[in-house]
Amino acid sequence: MPTRPVEVPPGSPAEIAESLTAAFADEHGRQPDGVYAAPGRVNLIGEHLDYNGGRCLPIALPHACFVATGRRTDDLVTVRSLQSEDGWAGRVADVTPSSVSGFAAYVAGVLWALHGDHVTVPGLDLVVDGRVPLGAGLSSSASLEVAVAIAACDAAGLDLDDTLRDRIVTECMRAENDVVGAPTGGMDQAIAAFARRGHALLIDFGTGSRRHVPWDPAAADLTLLVIDTRVQHTLSDGAYGDRRGESEAAARALGVPSLIDLEDAALDRLDDEMLRRRARHVATEDVRVGSMVEALESGDLASVGPLLTASHVSLRDDYEVSCEELDVVVETALSAGAFGARMTGGGFGGSAIALVPTDRVELVGQAVGRAFVDRGWDLPAVLEAPASAAAARVS
Ligand code: GLA
């Protein structure tokens, strides 16, 4: 029985753009006007803090969603994905939040939101090739949204500068919240729009500020492994929304606008034990984000491992968004020599990250694979995750 996790390579952007161009030409009988890509992400630390007004520190993956576009002579938009049977065709002006569902909701939702922000998207054909694993907690949805948004804005003749990128983040969130129905917090769209190669992005949702922080584990002979449990999660089902609701309830009970505004001592004023644990996760996680940024900015990668693991414990015990498979990845990776490990993203399945000495990558992968096989679970998948670049036009 093989125990080696399945590797998921990102593919070469130039080759993906070329094959997507060929697929577009097959479908529409002409060349596309452009091909665009937006990355998936892993969050290094600062989980479930975006909607609580705290800080997070994601990096972009080399895995991205690609979109080829071509102008039409009428005002229709058509969409097809190489990964899905469901296409969509319609007029942007006719889209309403409840009129589309499934894959089309992400695409039509973004166009609907941009339209509401006075972006005049012309009639377009879009063909999508999503290379971010689906349902793996790696932000395949935001990569699709942001890729569609930059393609549509370029077709509308807008400059893809930071001001537009800020609008794109807002409108992609609106699409996800109002059309897809997932009450997510904005981290995924922000990293897709503003990532920088070799850096993590410190995003402060309290102040709205962003800062690039160097992230280069290879310089310390370390590798960040992403391990996808292949337990599928979706954010539009109830559990993610429940956590958001519980955080809001805790903030209300304490009379603060959001949990991040809490003084440490105030935690004791929360009678409800469960809400107290939710609030404690938010408070302690934000401190860990600060410590991690300090460690990275002073080149002290040794301190990073324990912070990652402490974040996992807090997400597992206080915020209760882990699951057995994620816990097994974390425990096994640590026993096999990882410096630190944690679940990443929304949780309830999806992926974990492990910071591993590069000469132990194979060993850690094998150990996690064996732990899964021993329990009768499907083999996990692994991705290597050098911090990659933001959404852009690729051809
Ligand atoms: C998902 C959401 C984000 C964020 C994370 C948890 O990825 O899309 O907005 O809340 O979960 O940190």
Side-chain angles (χ1 to χ4, degrees):
M1 176 72 87
T3 57
R4 200 164 197 280
V6 187
E7 279 174 40
V8 186
S12 130
E15 284 170 20
I16 297 169
E18 203 181 308
S19 65
L20 184 55
T21 297
F24 185 99
D26 267 1
E27 174 97 8
H28 296 293
R30 65 188 198 283
Q31 295 295 305
D33 300 330
V35 178
Y36 305 80
R41 62 98 190 89
V42 286
N43 188 19
L44 297 178
I45 201 157
E47 216 64 85
H48 286 272
L49 292 197
D50 52 0
Y51 58 82
N52 277 309
R55 295 174 292 174
C56 59
L57 190 68
I59 59 169
L61 289 173
H63 304 67
C65 178
F66 293 76
V67 177
T69 57
R71 294 281 291 257
R72 293 174 58 97
T73 48
D74 58 16
D75 62 352
L76 265 190
V77 175
T78 77
V79 187
R80 189 172 86 77
S81 157
L82 303 188
Q83 280 76 34
S84 157
E85 295 294 303
D86 311 336
W88 180 77
R91 282 180 186 76
V92 174
D94 297 339
V95 175
T96 59
S98 55
S99 63
V100 278
S101 59
F103 157 75
Y106 294 95
V107 179
V110 167
L111 300 174
W112 164 84
L114 288 172
H115 183 71
D117 190 17
H118 312 292
V119 177
T120 310
V121 180
L124 277 183
D125 293 314
L126 296 101
V127 180
V128 174
D129 187 358
R131 299 295 183 108
V132 181
L134 294 178
L138 301 175
S139 200
S140 57
S141 319
S143 70
L144 170 61
E145 293 156 9
V146 175
V148 167
I150 62 163
C153 287
D154 202 29
L158 302 177
D159 271 348
L160 294 175
D161 57 13
D162 281 6
T163 311
L164 180 66
R165 284 171 188 265
D166 265 321
R167 277 168 77 190
I168 284 177
V169 169
T170 305
E171 299 315 333
C172 289
M173 268 180 76
R174 198 191 310 283
E176 182 142 339
N177 292 172
D178 295 357
V179 180
V180 177
T184 54
M187 166 174 73
D188 309 344
Q189 293 79 8
I191 182 66
F194 289 105
R196 181 182 293 170
R197 205 178 295 283
H199 291 76
L201 182 67
L202 175 65
I203 314 171
D204 185 329
F205 285 85
T207 62
S209 69
R210 284 186 302 263
R211 179 151 61 85
H212 292 281
V213 176
W215 170 250
D216 183 15
D221 293 325
L222 294 170
T223 297
L224 185 75
L225 266 191
V226 179
I227 302 165
D228 169 14
T229 60
R230 297 170 113 186
V231 177
Q232 296 265 335
H233 84 151
T234 77
L235 294 174
S236 43
D237 67 14
Y240 180 93
D242 288 350
R243 288 300 172 279
R244 192 168 177 156
E246 288 155 11
S247 287
E248 286 161 7
R252 256 195 321 274
L254 289 164
V256 286
S258 69
L259 282 183
I260 214 70
D261 304 311
L262 213 59
E263 307 278 324
D264 277 358
L267 274 183
D268 297 335
R269 286 199 279 115
L270 262 178
D271 294 333
D272 186 299
E273 195 270 335
M274 184 264 279
L275 293 185
R276 197 159 57 232
R277 281 187 288 119
R278 304 293 188 255
R280 186 167 59 199
H281 166 71
V282 173
T284 58
E285 182 78 347
D286 197 64
V287 172
R288 284 186 287 271
V289 176
S291 308
M292 176 126 165
V293 169
E294 257 173 51
L296 293 180
E297 288 185 333
S298 61
D300 171 20
L301 265 132
S303 309
V304 164
L307 290 168
L308 298 180
T309 307
S311 167
H312 184 75
V313 170
S314 178
L315 288 157
R316 184 191 65 198
D317 298 344
D318 279 352
Y319 217 65
E320 293 183 286
V321 288
S322 188
C323 65
E324 197 186 349
E325 291 84 351
L326 285 166
D327 295 343
V328 166
V329 171
V330 167
E331 279 149 31
T332 312
L334 291 172
S335 318
F339 278 8
R342 61 181 288 271
M343 57 151 280
T344 186
F348 311 106
S351 299
I353 52 176
L355 189 62
V356 180
T358 300
D359 59 4
R360 289 196 155 243
V361 163
E362 181 70 24
L363 208 96
V364 169
Q366 291 275 6
V368 173
R370 197 166 323 108
F372 270 47
V373 168
D374 286 350
R375 288 167 175 78
W377 300 341
D378 289 344
L379 273 177
V382 291
L383 296 74
E384 284 194 19
S388 301
R393 183 172 179 152
V394 286
S395 71

